[in-house]
Amino acid sequence: MTVISKLRTAALTASVAIPIALLGGPSAAQDKPEGHGDAPAAQYTYSATTLGEIDVELPGRKPGDPVITPSEFNKAATIYFERCAGCHGVLRKGATGKPLTTDITRENGYDYLVSFMTYGSPAGMPNWGTSGELSEAEIDMLARYLLIEPPAPPEFGMAAMRGTWKLHVAPEDRPTEQMNDLEIDKLFSVTLRDAGQVALIDGDSYEIVKVLETGYAVHISRISASGRYLFVIGRDAKVNMIDLWMEEPTTVAEIKVGSEARSIETSKMEGWEDKYAIAGSYWPPQYVIMDGATLEPLKIKSTRGMIYDTQEFHPEPRVAAIISSHYKPEFIVNVKETGKILMVDYSDIKNLKVTEIEAERFLHDGGLDSTKRYFLTAANARNKVAVIDTKTSSLIAMVDTQGQTPHPGRGANIDHPVFGPVWATSHLGDETVALIGTDPEGHPEHAWKVVQQLYALGGGSLFVKTHPESEHLYVDAPLNPDAEVSASIAVFKVGDLTQEEPEYTVLPIGEWAAIADGQPRVVQGEFNREGDEIWFSVWNSKDKESAIVVVDDKTLELKKVIKDERLVTPTGKFNVYNTRADVY
């Protein structure tokens, strides 16, 4: 293992190519970075009724529109959905990525669009062409498509939603006690992104217990308060409810909540455990409250409305992170584009009460502090973290993270030797890690401030991770274009954070995985229940070998490499106990 002090070279920082497509401004295109193999986005596998399969209607042509056939238009709409909509929005209004409305794309022109999509830019646009992800013909088609008004995908109301709802095993037909010998709290739910599956892996034996069919690219797994039910949601907005008590864990209910989605959560307030589930959609922009035992849709609420600061209407304010409060019967719902955090009171969904908190635009992911009272969430395109007091349902701080595009996942809670309890986020756009004080009673002088800034491997980080039993903070960088960086993990020792410039240890996870082909990227550390080992996904392309690497947290040495032909593009991993108890 190598110890590096603040790997902050200008070349590394300048070349970060994260999947935030930022078209706009006269940025120069770049050559494909040396050693940059497979781009992080993998080929999309479609699920019924996603935008990619909808036969969209070609809008009426206007003077100056390029020639494009209906079949080309639909093919380009498919490519846009799989590659671009996550950052730019289905209607191209922009979010993390800049707007791609026709007034902007036509001013830049066809040649500019082709060049930008082919070569990318240091500002964050992926090099779709030189990386081999898109062919010249596909880029040509997509460039012509972007010069035409976007199609409006269909809405997804109660009738459409109920049409997809399948109750495979009714609650009364399910077991009344656990029928298997699994230690459920030790299970890991692992996303097999491009296979449209999740793998359940035993935390002791490292064996795959079962692989279950799900939606495409499961974004998160969440566990019911009781620990019995596993909920997963794919990018295609398909939700699976898996009963872990059955002889073999089995999907007992499923539903599609839209065309594209990211978030699912269940009620956790005492007295309301397992009663409700909630899912939020990117398209249509809405959330739905469902029965917690069956996934029957009960209440759909649109998030369309006014942007909090400009008071202008936004047609596509997408639902990002959702957290369940431990203090009130409320779901905390991030509405990305309007900059609003909704405190959704589920105690009476017939007469739904929603407290609307004005925070900041482009709300994305976040998590609770160590006391589970405060919700810290990134407004990533504004480089800020909003702090919500879930006990009072109010905004108490907006923190500038002093970094570029914070992306915490759920963040990491550390007991800092100087500043007391802090919460950490890394950044997509640079190598910094921000530590924010979270103890307004014990350390009021440090509360809701960046008390320390660390420097890790480089830009392209998605997740930070620690555990109450760990003395380490782990930082990944899977979206960094440098192959060695994206296959490594930076580890800070909490006791060394007293130093002015704390050094970190580099774990060569990709090297430990011993994968000969491709450019595997190491992503999303997840601890086991005991907090004495941490698992990392070694994420390769769909047609190449991937793995999971287990590290001994005490020694920082390799403990186990999990390989199995069924581990296709593993990404997110969620330990049952840590996920249901909000331990991070």
Side-chain angles (χ1 to χ4, degrees), residues 307-322:
I307 301 170
Y308 88 95
D309 53 354
T310 64
Q311 298 293 293
E312 297 295 330
F313 180 77
H314 199 293
E316 192 189 355
R318 297 171 290 176
V319 176
I322 301 177

Side-chain angles (χ1 to χ4, degrees), residues 20 46 79 134 147 157 163 172 174 188 204-205 229 277 287 314 333-334 346 365 391 484 500-501 516 550 556 563 572:
I20 302 175
Y46 307 111
I79 297 171
L134 295 178
L147 294 168
E172 60 270 21
R174 299 172 196 166
F188 285 75
D204 284 337
S205 69
Y229 295 111
Y287 59 88
H314 199 293
V333 178
N334 277 355
Y346 55 76
D365 52 355
K391 188 174 182 178
E484 184 176 356
E500 183 176 350
E501 296 186 357
V550 182
L556 299 185
K563 288 186 177 180

Side-chain angles (χ1 to χ4, degrees), residues 194-210:
D194 291 1
Q197 299 171 329
V198 294
L200 299 181
I201 302 181
D202 181 77
D204 284 337
S205 69
Y206 309 116
E207 297 292 329
I208 295 178
V209 172
K210 190 170 183 181

Side-chain angles (χ1 to χ4, degrees), residues 25-163:
S27 176
Q30 66 175 7
D31 292 330
K32 179 179 177 180
E34 185 177 354
H36 184 42
D38 299 316
Q43 199 65 27
Y44 187 65
T45 303
Y46 307 111
S47 175
T49 76
T50 62
L51 182 61
E53 283 197 332
I54 293 166
D55 192 29
V56 295
E57 182 179 351
L58 179 62
R61 292 188 65 217
K62 297 180 180 179
D65 279 355
V67 175
I68 190 168
T69 67
S71 63
E72 286 178 323
F73 190 86
N74 278 281
K75 173 65 175 175
T78 295
I79 297 171
Y80 182 84
F81 174 77
E82 77 180 72
R83 303 296 190 196
C84 315
C87 285
H88 296 286
V90 171
L91 300 182
R92 305 189 208 157
K93 298 291 185 179
T96 307
K98 290 187 177 180
L100 292 176
T101 48
T102 53
D103 57 324
I104 296 171
T105 59
R106 290 184 181 184
E107 181 179 354
N108 286 326
Y110 170 86
D111 290 338
Y112 174 83
L113 294 171
V114 168
S115 177
F116 227 93
M117 288 186 285
T118 301
Y119 299 106
S121 82
M125 176 70 184
N127 53 321
W128 295 122
T130 57
S131 69
E133 291 294 326
L134 295 178
S135 67
E136 289 185 17
E138 288 172 327
I139 288 176
D140 161 68
M141 193 185 308
L142 187 55
R144 286 182 282 140
Y145 169 82
L146 291 174
L147 294 168
I148 297 173
E149 294 294 334
E155 299 297 323
F156 211 81
M158 184 60 78
M161 204 173 290
R162 292 189 71 90

Side-chain angles (χ1 to χ4, degrees), residues 13 41 142 146 209 227 230 544 552:
T13 303
L142 187 55
L146 291 174
V209 172
L230 168 66
K544 294 179 173 62
D552 187 310

